[in-house]
């Protein structure tokens, strides 16, 4: 995670969800296993009740906030949750797509997301680079350098 041009948190997921920078260690909910990743280990999560809370709540403003990760989906759903000051981003990967949605609550079952961006035709049988940039209310999801843009209300 980057803010103001500085790295504020780094999650290696080598056996835990600790922040290598030391300030924002995460929590893993449900059942998760650690498997071989793109670099070192990776966190493997399946289903809607398994997720990671990264415990970062940066304020939005004129300074962009960026987070990126390598993700590999399979026929099951992998979930990542990123809590921000007024809601939660849900990043889901499955066999051929990556979906980023933003909800005003922490519930993955909230009927209508405030913002939903979806990348299709993604080969999730291999690792894909995913990056999210939040700048004011503009949100861009990059999947392997292809951009999908939306605006928060």
């Amino acid at each position: 995670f980057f803010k103001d041009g500085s790295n504020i948190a780094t999650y290696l997921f080598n056996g835990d969800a600790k922040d290598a920078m030391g300030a924002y260690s995460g929590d893993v909910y449900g059942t998760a296993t650690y498997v071989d990743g793109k670099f070192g280990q990776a966190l493997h999560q399946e289903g809607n009740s398994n997720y990671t809370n990264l415990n970062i709540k940066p304020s939005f403003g004129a300074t962009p906030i960026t987070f990126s990760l390598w993700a590999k989906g399979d026929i099951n759903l992998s979930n990542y949750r990123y809590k921000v000051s007024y809601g939660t981003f849900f990043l889901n990967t499955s066999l051929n797509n990556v979906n980023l949605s933003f909800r005003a609550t922490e519930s993955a079952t909230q009927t209508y997301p405030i913002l939903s961006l979806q990348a299709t035709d993604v080969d999730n049988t291999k690792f894909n680079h995913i990056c999210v940039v939040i700048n004011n209310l503009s949100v861009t999801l990059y999947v392997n350098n292809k951009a999908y843009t939306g605006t928060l209300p």
Side-chain angles (χ1 to χ4, degrees):
F1 287 84
F2 288 87
K3 183 174 184 202
D4 297 328
S6 298
N7 187 357
I8 60 171
T10 299
Y11 300 92
L12 302 176
F13 295 114
N14 283 324
D16 58 39
K18 291 182 180 175
D19 171 17
M21 305 294 290
Y24 300 101
S25 288
D27 299 304
V28 178
Y29 293 92
T31 56
T33 56
Y34 292 90
V35 297
D36 290 336
K38 178 81 172 170
F39 306 100
Q41 289 185 313
L43 183 62
H44 182 256
Q45 303 174 114
E46 293 182 12
N48 289 325
S49 62
N50 302 307
Y51 63 94
T52 303
N53 178 1
L54 299 180
N55 296 316
I56 297 178
K57 293 188 176 185
S59 59
F60 287 95
T63 303
I65 298 168
T66 303
F67 63 96
S68 66
L69 66 137
W70 288 94
K72 179 180 175 183
D74 52 28
I75 58 170
N76 299 304
L77 187 66
S78 297
N79 296 301
Y80 307 90
R81 293 186 191 185
Y82 166 55
K83 293 173 72 173
V84 293
S85 57
Y86 59 91
T88 303
F89 278 97
F90 293 85
L91 181 65
N92 303 311
T93 63
S94 62
L95 186 59
N96 63 354
N97 69 68
V98 173
N99 184 67
L100 174 75
S101 61
F102 180 78
R103 291 171 168 78
T105 69
E106 295 179 20
S107 172
T109 59
Q110 180 181 356
T111 306
Y112 299 103
I114 294 174
L115 172 69
S116 183
L117 301 173
Q118 186 167 26
T120 57
D121 298 325
V122 177
D123 182 1
N124 277 320
T125 62
K126 61 183 181 181
F127 282 96
N128 294 281
H129 186 246
I130 299 170
C131 182
V132 178
V133 177
I134 307 160
N135 190 1
N136 286 323
L137 297 177
S138 174
V139 178
T140 305
L141 166 67
Y142 294 92
V143 179
N144 299 324
N145 295 323
K146 186 173 179 183
Y148 304 85
T149 302
T151 303
L152 292 170

